[in-house]
Amino acid sequence: MSTTTPNLRILISGGGIAGNAVALQLLRAGVSTTVVERSPAPRPGGQAVDLRGPSREIAERMGLMAGIRKYQLHEEGMALVNRKGDTLYRMPADMFDGKGPVAEIEISRGDLNQVLLTEIANVGGELDYRYGEWVSALTQDDSGVEVTFASGVTERFDLVVGADGVHSATRRLAFGPEEEFTTYLGGYMSFFTLPTPAGVEPNWMTTHAIPNASVGIRPDADPSTCKAIITLRTEVNPALRRDVAAQQRLIRAMLADAGWLAPTVLAAMPDSTDFYFDELDRVDMPSLSAGRVTLLGDAGFCGSPMTGMGTAMAIVGAYILAGEIAATPGDLAGALARYEAAVTPFLDSAKELPGGGLSMMLPKSEFGLRAAQTVGKLMTTRLFRPVVMKMVSKTDDYEVPSY
Ligand SMILES: Cc1cc2nc3c(=O)[nH]c(=O)nc-3n(C[C@H](O)[C@H](O)[C@H](O)COP(=O)(O)OP(=O)(O)OC[C@H]3O[C@@H](n4cnc5c(N)ncnc54)[C@H](O)[C@@H]3O)c2cc1C
């Protein structure tokens, strides 16, 4: 990338993985970059995210691997247990060459975000990073975008990148209401940190399912804490948005009789400082850009955390978007068209849900659950391993352009 890109001013809405990854690459290309993050500080939280196939390659090209190695989790695999904690079956990471449900490179989402923020601080450049700020209005003309922020300030930018997550405000302002672009996938997921309960097998992701719900524990970089992963299959309830007390009530109700370590996890939930809860939504855009506003990460393409590909899509998309802008800073329309054309084939396969989605993962009855567990166990046999390998390697053939 060139080291100077005079006069281009780009606003990024959202300081998650997508926003920070594109900010890093734009700064490296000499672009004046403003990031607004609605939270008052970097948002902690999230359990392990996978870096596999193309996203791992991009993390290497972006020089992130040294930072990632510091926080890398050493998960040995995934175990399914019953309500007494007895193991039903195991999927060791090496059973699928590090490409199965537990990937070779796993890092907690919050730690990965910290790696990006450290790199951004190291680059320096023309960066204006504002926490506790967000876009409240935007209007665009042929030569730029006029942005009004929540603080009341109005500024002009050449391009706005909406990287503000699955409920993106940028998308709503520039493209239309959320319902036009999102599909509810039938449930909710929650992640939070808790002190590691006694009896948890170190370095293993352990999951227990009951009809319509599951609770799991994943290791943290610090062994004294771990991450809870809760999945609920239920009707959508818009009243749950932003109502943490109601979200936790729903979790407690659906896991009340789950057994295993559920009571310990539920007891720790109210004290966690990084409680995350959201709908499982898919996002499909007819086009990623509308004039001088473009979408990146969950804001523009999301298959939900069930795909395990959200971070991969964010990193690959950020690398391509920044690369195309730096290639033709004087032709943003061309850069945005090439970004979309290059990233779309990757998104199409990355957004697919593995093995039938929530209805297969969390059947409604005990009978369905036992059938799903029998299928899961079969997948660990020599005969069926190739089927799993095919599912988890679906994006490996994608060739990321070089910049
Ligand atoms: C706290 C948290 C925990 C998560 N945990 C997991 C997990 O464990 N597993 C998993 O697969 N996926 C998880 N995800 C989703 C995952 O991070 C994304 O799928 C993927 O990394 C792509 O990220 P993104 O940057 O596009 O979106 P996000 O990670 O959602 O980041 C969007 C950012 O934009 C900010 N924001 C929102 N609205 C505005 C606004 N109006 N103006 C400015 N900023 C705004 C948010 O605070 C957030 O920092 C989590 C997301 C969050 C926010």
Side-chain angles (χ1 to χ4, degrees), residues 14 17-18 37-38 43 46-47 109 134 191 276 297-298 305 311:
I17 305 295
E37 163 57 48
R38 193 175 174 125
R43 270 186 78 174
Q47 41 103 35
R109 177 204 162 273
W134 62 93
F191 311 109
Y276 169 87
D298 283 0
T311 303

Side-chain angles (χ1 to χ4, degrees), residues 89-326:
Y89 61 91
R90 286 173 181 267
M91 289 188 171
D94 56 12
M95 182 180 270
F96 303 102
D97 301 337
K99 293 177 175 179
V102 170
E104 187 192 346
I105 307 272
E106 299 272 356
I107 176 169
S108 290
R109 177 204 162 273
D111 291 342
L112 179 59
N113 211 20
Q114 194 48 56
V115 170
L116 288 166
L117 287 167
T118 304
E119 287 296 324
I120 286 173
N122 290 342
V123 176
E126 274 192 64
L127 170 69
D128 181 357
Y129 206 115
R130 306 176 201 167
Y131 286 102
E133 180 69 292
W134 62 93
V135 175
S136 57
L138 46 83
T139 48
Q140 52 175 316
D141 53 45
D142 286 349
S143 63
V145 194
E146 188 129 305
V147 178
T148 306
F149 293 100
S151 60
V153 178
T154 296
E155 282 167 66
R156 221 174 147 72
F157 295 91
D158 296 295
L159 176 72
V160 174
V161 179
D164 38 9
V166 68
H167 306 297
S168 169
T170 312
R171 188 182 61 218
R172 176 170 43 77
L173 292 169
F175 294 78
E178 179 164 322
E179 307 73 65
E180 281 182 27
F181 311 111
T182 56
T183 310
Y184 182 63
L185 297 175
Y188 291 86
M189 273 183 105
S190 173
F191 311 109
F192 55 91
T193 305
L194 72 155
T196 306
V200 165
E201 189 172 3
N203 298 328
W204 277 77
M205 167 174 156
T206 312
T207 305
H208 165 51
I210 57 171
N212 291 319
S214 71
V215 52
I217 285 185
R218 273 192 110 157
D220 224 342
D222 168 3
S224 70
T225 58
C226 63
K227 306 289 187 208
I229 320 168
I230 289 168
T231 311
L232 308 176
R233 180 176 175 187
T234 183
E235 297 298 307
V236 67
N237 176 5
L240 288 173
R241 287 224 186 142
R242 294 176 200 263
D243 186 347
V244 173
Q247 296 165 2
Q248 296 196 353
R249 269 199 307 277
L250 179 68
I251 291 175
R252 267 194 294 274
M254 291 189 72
L255 287 171
D257 302 315
W260 185 53
L261 291 172
T264 314
V265 172
L266 296 181
M269 182 169 65
D271 297 328
S272 95
T273 52
D274 60 357
F275 178 78
Y276 169 87
F277 178 97
D278 206 350
E279 291 160 29
L280 293 169
D281 284 324
R282 183 181 160 115
V283 175
D284 296 290
M285 300 301 298
S287 168
L288 289 179
S289 304
R292 288 171 175 268
V293 180
T294 195
L295 299 176
L296 176 68
D298 283 0
F301 34 85
C302 176
S304 87
M306 280 190 291
T307 62
M309 294 298 288
T311 303
M313 287 193 281
I315 288 189
V316 170
Y319 176 80
I320 294 175
L321 176 59
E324 293 298 351
I325 290 170

Side-chain angles (χ1 to χ4, degrees), residues 15-38:
I17 305 295
N20 286 330
V22 76
L24 175 62
Q25 293 301 93
L26 288 173
L27 287 166
R28 285 175 170 164
V31 175
S32 163
T33 305
T34 300
V35 182
V36 289
E37 163 57 48
R38 193 175 174 125

